[in-house]
Amino acid sequence: MCGIVGYIGSKEAQGVLLGGLRRLEYRGYDSSGIVTLGDRSTLLRAKGKVAELEAKVTENKTIDGVGIGHTRWATHGVPSEENAHPHKSGDIYLVHNGIIENYKELKKELKDHEFVSQTDTEVLAALINSLYDNETSLESAVTQALQLVDGTYGIAVLSTREPEKIVVARSGSPLIIGVGKDETVIASDASALIGHTENAIYLNDGEIAVCRAGSVDLTDLSSQPLSAKVEKIEADMSAIQKQGYDHFLLKEIMEQPTTLQSTLNGRVDPKENRAMLGGLNMTQAELRQIEHVVIIGCGTAYYAGMLASYYLEQLVDGLTVDVEIASELRYRSFHLPKNSVALIVSQSGETADTLACLREIKRRGVKTLGVINAVGSTIAREVDGGVYVHAGPEISVASTKAFTSQVAAMTVFGVQLAQAKGAGVQELNQYINELADLPDEIEKVLAAHRDEIKEVAAKYTKYDHALFLGRDTLYPAALEGALKLKEISYIQAEGYAGGELKHGPLALIDDRFFEVMLLQDNWLFDKGVSNLAEVNARGGHVVVITNSTKQIDAETIVRVDTKLDALVPVVLNVIQQLFAYYVAVARGNDVDQPRNLAKSVTVE
Ligand code: G6P
């Protein structure tokens, strides 16, 4: 979603800002803009891609050393140049992530400002300007304005009267300040800071910072000084480059053996028959007490949680597990039984609905554990304990490697819980070995099937609708397979539990549809084959993805050779990822930045 960059130092700000905005493109956006200050201010904005903005910059080059920039994902007002940030009011310019909820009421009071956009952000700009008289510093005007605001924000503000500073603030929307030698770089996402500095201050909610070239002063909303904690940014340049692949998505699918290994390193030890996550901040006695687990996430993180819930149930005797969509749970009058823990699953660690659930659950005194990829993200900082999955930056909007790592990390948690509750060595042995073998198995499958899946995908690009079917652990995998296909190919795709076929979706089967059926060679194989027969009998166009070598009747069969059993859905899902990728490429889509979608959904 929206992205913020800012720069103050001796380099040409326009170049630094454009570079930063390009790094933030992956988050999803529909317009962008920058303003720099010199002898005069240069405000440039464009609808569409950053390349459009770049063309304007080429025609309006400056050598200014201070500026702010933004990529906007439309919420209030259509994507257009007028609605793009920065917004101007009097001497100030503002970029903003988040939503000002009381903007209509505030707007009524701001009679002196002639509004030119439909955005809530312009209202905040006008509000700050209305409080910014000759006696007031920029930070003081910003502080006073923020006290009147309801909603979420990460903001960066510039003033032509005080060009030696950028004032930034956050409440519910991330902001990171990179502190270099004689320069300060601001971004809403660490990826825009990589290459500038390794030292960063992660702003907390309710904090305001005055950034000058190479120095930062932090206060709270009552202007009380705070001391800033400087942390190291972990990611390196190579992690945010395509490294020879056509798309980030393909790179991220192919690197799963390595990223998954990073998830498992030091956590799974088949020789000792142990699996353990280090950061739970829970004693063995506390773990033993857990009777209920609630897993919360959105999108792919939710499906990862759903798959993991089957494993937790299998691993831990008597444990009850619920999996919840964060945007639903946060508004329900839900009840958590005694001795619950919550697993908060999020790649970005910034998803607004997931964060809202975390805060509500913490407020109730229930222990929260994060399963997070983005280091230093808001959710990671607010949970009581948990794990980083260490999958590295995920740039493509559609999530792939994070899913695999999230499932693996939650399965390790299941084994750890079972161990604490006294499960026998033999019972856990299978899971521990399968987790340890998973990276190699995925590597084998990717190498063996990449070309085949490209050919299979070519046969199914012409369809407009798809059904994904699976039973048991293959049901969440089918849901994730359908999500991946719809996100990037724009084919309408739905996932269903195989047993539900007769309760509705069978009515859909015709020549406009194809079906992806996940089949595992286990006790449910024959049930799946019956479902397959029902679809075939109605002229279905079925792609079976299976680990079975048995006779199967289907239009297309992808047979995967793996020694795994419990974790077969994770392996078959990798095939689905390749399938979605190649279908989307064949349809000519922007696979890394699908239309209308954002990588990190920081507003409701
Ligand atoms: C967006 C992304 C998805 C992601 C979901 C949850 O919809 O496009 O890829 O699964 O948000 O994001 P999170 O960062 O919380 O895992």
Side-chain angles (χ1 to χ4, degrees), residues 297-302 345-352 354 371 379 394 396-400 402 406 480 483-484 487 597-601:
C298 299
T300 289
Y302 169 70
V345 192
S346 176
Q347 188 286 126
S348 64
E350 302 291 352
T351 304
T354 312
V371 181
I379 296 178
E394 196 180 60
S396 182
V397 166
S399 183
T400 50
Q406 286 159 351
E480 171 58 14
L483 176 64
K484 216 49 43 202
E487 281 178 306
L597 297 182
K599 179 73 184 156
S600 179
V601 181

Side-chain angles (χ1 to χ4, degrees), residues 237-250:
M237 213 56 163
S238 65
I240 56 167
Q241 287 166 343
K242 283 190 199 155
Q243 295 180 314
Y245 286 101
D246 288 345
H247 299 99
F248 280 107
L249 184 59
L250 185 58

Side-chain angles (χ1 to χ4, degrees), residues 18 53 66 89 91 93 117 122 168 196 239 510 530 566-567 569-570 598:
L18 276 178
L53 178 66
V66 55
S89 179
D91 292 335
Y93 291 91
S117 79
E122 192 186 1
V168 298
H196 290 290
D510 68 17
S530 304
L567 300 183
V570 183

Side-chain angles (χ1 to χ4, degrees), residues 273-275 280 284 287-288 290 293 311-319 410-425 427-429 431-432:
N273 200 32
R274 283 192 72 77
L280 298 185
Q284 286 296 96
L287 283 171
R288 263 196 301 280
I290 296 174
V293 176
Y311 295 141
L312 289 182
E313 282 175 354
Q314 286 172 17
L315 277 159
V316 189
D317 247 4
L319 184 77
M410 285 185 271
T411 308
V412 176
F413 173 72
V415 175
Q416 187 171 356
L417 201 54
Q419 276 165 351
K421 285 171 176 279
V425 172
E427 287 168 70
L428 302 180
N429 191 283
Y431 272 94
I432 292 170

Side-chain angles (χ1 to χ4, degrees), residues 182-338:
D182 303 329
E183 63 177 7
T184 301
V185 194
I186 293 149
S188 53
D189 179 324
S191 62
L193 299 181
I194 297 169
H196 290 290
T197 173
E198 288 183 344
N199 301 319
I201 300 165
Y202 289 82
L203 222 57
N204 292 311
D205 280 353
E207 291 180 353
I208 296 183
V210 179
C211 307
R212 296 184 176 82
S215 80
V216 178
D217 293 309
L218 216 59
T219 62
D220 63 16
L221 277 178
S222 342
S223 305
Q224 292 306 308
L226 299 168
S227 59
K229 189 171 153 215
V230 180
E231 298 177 41
K232 287 266 174 261
I233 300 174
E234 282 191 8
D236 62 24
M237 213 56 163
S238 65
I240 56 167
Q241 287 166 343
K242 283 190 199 155
Q243 295 180 314
Y245 286 101
D246 288 345
H247 299 99
F248 280 107
L249 184 59
L250 185 58
K251 175 199 166 209
E252 286 160 11
I253 293 171
M254 297 305 290
E255 73 186 1
Q256 287 178 102
T258 319
T259 54
L260 178 62
Q261 195 58 61
S262 306
T263 308
L264 298 172
N265 273 349
R267 292 168 171 169
V268 172
D269 182 353
K271 285 200 197 87
E272 295 292 320
N273 200 32
R274 283 192 72 77
M276 206 180 83
L277 301 170
L280 298 185
N281 298 336
M282 293 181 83
T283 62
Q284 286 296 96
E286 284 171 329
L287 283 171
R288 263 196 301 280
Q289 273 176 5
I290 296 174
E291 290 169 10
H292 181 77
V293 176
V294 58
I295 308 179
I296 298 158
C298 299
T300 289
Y302 169 70
Y303 292 140
M306 199 169 168
L307 177 52
S309 75
Y310 284 72
Y311 295 141
L312 289 182
E313 282 175 354
Q314 286 172 17
L315 277 159
V316 189
D317 247 4
L319 184 77
T320 55
V321 189
D322 286 329
V323 192
E324 303 288 355
I325 296 172
S327 56
E328 283 297 309
L329 186 72
R330 67 179 291 189
Y331 295 114
R332 270 173 35 202
S333 3
F334 64 95
H335 169 73
L336 290 177
K338 227 173 60 202

Side-chain angles (χ1 to χ4, degrees), residues 42-59:
T42 308
L43 173 66
L44 301 168
R45 297 180 295 182
K47 188 180 161 191
K49 294 286 175 190
V50 170
E52 311 289 328
L53 178 66
E54 209 169 340
K56 290 194 173 179
V57 171
T58 310
E59 287 168 16

